[in-house]
Amino acid sequence: MDLLLIQSQEHETLPLAELKAVLTCENIDCDVEVITQGLILLKSLNELDFYKNYKTLVRRLAYTHEIHELILRTDLNNLESGFNSVNWNDYIEEDFVVRIKRFEKVNIDTTDVERRLGHLILSSNNTASGTSGKTDVAELKVNLNNPKSFIRVVATQKEVFICIEKFKLNKKHFQNLKPHKRPFFYPGSMSPKLARCMVNLSHIKEDQLLLDPFCGTGGILIEGAMIGTKLIGSDINWKMKNGTLINLDYCSNLDYCDICENDYEAHHIDVRELKLYKKVDAVVTDPPYGISTSTGGEKSGKIFHQFLESIDYNMKENAYLCIAHPHYLDIDPFLNELGFKLLERHKIKMHKSLTRIISVIKKTN
């Protein structure tokens, strides 16, 4: 069984990297085929765990817009015959809509093709009803506004993928919990989507322990909460530590955030003095970029070295660190010295004078 993923194209490398990290840490065995930029096919997924893994991907992924169960892989010349070959009563509940998405500038009239394909489904249903009787075959209807079944047709220059959406990604969270919409706000907070991606890049699993030692307003910890991790935050600024707890308390009351107050804690402490009673499974953080940001005026290079020393002490063996840092700060010499291994790196252009680097690092010592 296969899944088709329509990914965000706002960043060249992060969506696929995030997907591969989640597949690895969740032990989802499949073949990954890149159809084109923003279109990924996960092939040969285990049938017994198919819907469990489908739900896991829906819950976790940030830079993926849609995930669909693949019904048929064909081409534009055989699209209608392919549609006629499908027993749609096996897939559709009561009502449906057909929507087409084009890649690679495919030249088709989407409205006309959607209408024709919808008609083919209705015609095949009517034929089946006439053959077996209406007691055996449910009458299908088109519902353009709120259908129970969503048929997605994805067209590229060479191929067409006919799919059905069984589980819808809830992207409202990324809008509802933007930094300025949280109870405690402070300028400069990371977007929820990037924070979720970084959490996923850390390879952390549900119920494992996630640390953000520069927690700020708690944005990264919130995204860890959304996928069910346990949370520890710390910050040298007591207002930020308190603000993080305010925001996590707020999230614990949301019906789509399954955490309680026993799942998280935050501390007012300098990261260089942090010594946790329990080592963590992953560290995800976005440290302050300024040369002197509540750090006593010390240079960023020295601070990062001391930060890595402290984090090394608090991490389990083979734990991951996902960190955001400015392009002008070379952290690689510190990694080699302290026994960390750089696994991958992604660049995000902020403005002409700043590029944000996302580094994924593994503790190897």
Side-chain angles (χ1 to χ4, degrees):
M1 300 179 74
D2 301 343
L3 287 173
L4 188 73
L5 281 66
I6 299 174
Q7 296 192 312
S8 167
Q9 297 185 53
E10 63 194 274
H11 192 275
E12 187 175 351
T13 62
L14 280 175
L16 183 57
E18 179 193 30
L19 170 62
K20 289 181 176 180
V22 171
L23 292 174
T24 299
C25 73
E26 294 288 353
N27 298 313
I28 300 176
D29 185 27
C30 63
D31 297 322
V32 180
E33 180 182 350
V34 180
I35 308 299
T36 188
Q37 180 72 25
L39 191 62
I40 308 294
L41 188 64
L42 304 183
K43 300 189 296 185
S44 304
L45 285 151
N46 186 299
E47 186 172 351
L48 294 177
D49 296 326
F50 182 77
Y51 292 108
K52 171 191 169 188
N53 292 334
Y54 190 164
K55 289 179 180 178
T56 296
L57 295 173
V58 165
R59 184 184 187 191
R60 292 197 63 152
L61 294 173
Y63 283 110
T64 295
H65 294 317
E66 299 177 16
I67 305 178
H68 303 288
E69 179 182 347
L70 180 67
I71 298 174
L72 188 66
R73 187 173 185 172
T74 182
D75 55 44
L76 282 173
N77 292 329
N78 297 292
L79 176 56
E80 293 193 14
S81 61
F83 245 69
N84 278 326
S85 70
V86 177
N87 182 357
W88 289 104
N89 282 282
D90 292 340
Y91 296 98
I92 297 176
E93 298 181 40
E94 296 183 26
D95 54 38
F96 70 95
V97 69
V98 178
R99 290 291 183 234
I100 295 177
K101 188 169 184 65
R102 298 178 296 170
F103 281 80
E104 303 172 333
K105 299 180 180 179
V106 175
N107 185 22
I108 57 174
D109 184 336
T110 56
T111 302
D112 178 63
V113 175
E114 287 170 355
R115 186 181 298 114
R116 288 186 357 236
L117 296 179
H119 178 71
L120 289 176
I121 293 176
L122 294 175
S123 297
S124 67
N125 178 246
N126 291 336
T127 301
S129 297
T131 302
S132 60
K134 289 188 177 182
T135 57
D136 298 322
V137 180
E139 182 180 357
L140 303 182
K141 298 179 182 180
V142 174
N143 183 343
L144 300 180
N145 297 317
N146 188 29
K148 289 192 174 180
S149 299
F150 181 82
I151 309 299
R152 171 61 83 188
V153 178
V154 179
T156 70
Q157 290 287 356
K158 293 182 179 180
E159 295 182 283
V160 177
F161 302 86
I162 301 171
C163 313
I164 186 164
E165 184 179 67
K166 290 296 181 69
F167 306 106
K168 187 177 182 65
L169 278 81
N170 182 4
K171 294 298 182 179
K172 290 183 179 179
H173 155 69
F174 294 126
Q175 295 297 322
N176 294 342
L177 281 179
K178 281 187 174 182
H180 69 280
K181 295 182 178 180
R182 300 170 194 156
F184 180 81
F185 169 68
Y186 193 82
S189 300
M190 179 177 287
S191 72
K193 187 181 289 187
L194 179 56
R196 172 72 65 84
C197 178
M198 289 181 62
V199 169
N200 284 329
L201 289 173
S202 77
H203 289 71
I204 198 163
K205 299 180 182 180
E206 184 176 358
D207 292 326
Q208 288 186 333
L209 188 56
L210 174 70
L211 167 66
D212 181 358
F214 298 96
C215 61
T217 63
I220 287 172
L221 297 178
I222 288 171
E223 296 310 315
M226 292 297 170
I227 64 170
T229 69
K230 309 300 183 184
L231 311 166
I232 298 179
S234 70
D235 204 287
I236 197 171
N237 187 328
W238 69 269
K239 289 184 179 180
M240 295 301 173
K241 170 257 181 182
N242 290 346
T244 286
L245 290 176
I246 290 170
N247 285 337
L248 288 173
D249 288 344
Y250 172 78
C251 291
S252 68
N253 293 315
L254 299 175
D255 56 6
Y256 55 82
C257 185
D258 188 22
I259 62 166
C260 63
E261 62 181 17
N262 294 328
D263 293 331
Y264 56 88
E265 58 187 75
H267 306 279
H268 172 216
I269 190 172
D270 188 320
V271 64
R272 293 167 290 183
E273 300 173 1
L274 185 64
K275 292 188 182 296
L276 299 173
Y277 62 90
K278 185 176 181 181
K279 294 188 183 296
V280 302
D281 298 284
V283 178
V284 182
T285 194
D286 180 24
Y289 294 161
I291 291 178
S292 58
T293 309
S294 298
T295 55
E298 295 188 51
K299 291 186 177 180
S300 296
K302 182 178 180 181
I303 295 165
F304 264 73
H305 187 279
Q306 294 170 339
F307 153 73
L308 288 171
E309 285 183 313
S310 173
I311 290 304
D312 177 58
Y313 174 85
N314 290 289
M315 294 171 69
K316 292 181 180 178
E317 186 177 353
N318 296 318
Y320 284 76
L321 162 65
C322 186
I323 184 172
H325 56 95
H327 69 278
Y328 52 78
L329 182 61
D330 181 13
I331 67 172
D332 290 354
F334 311 144
L335 301 180
N336 298 332
E337 180 182 341
L338 295 170
F340 288 94
K341 181 180 179 181
L342 176 67
L343 300 180
E344 58 188 271
R345 183 162 278 163
H346 308 274
K347 298 179 179 180
I348 304 174
K349 187 73 172 179
M350 305 301 291
H351 45 77
K352 62 181 180 180
S353 62
L354 176 63
T355 297
R356 175 183 266 167
I357 307 296
I358 308 296
S359 293
V360 182
I361 298 157
K362 190 173 183 180
K363 176 180 174 179
T364 58
N365 59 348

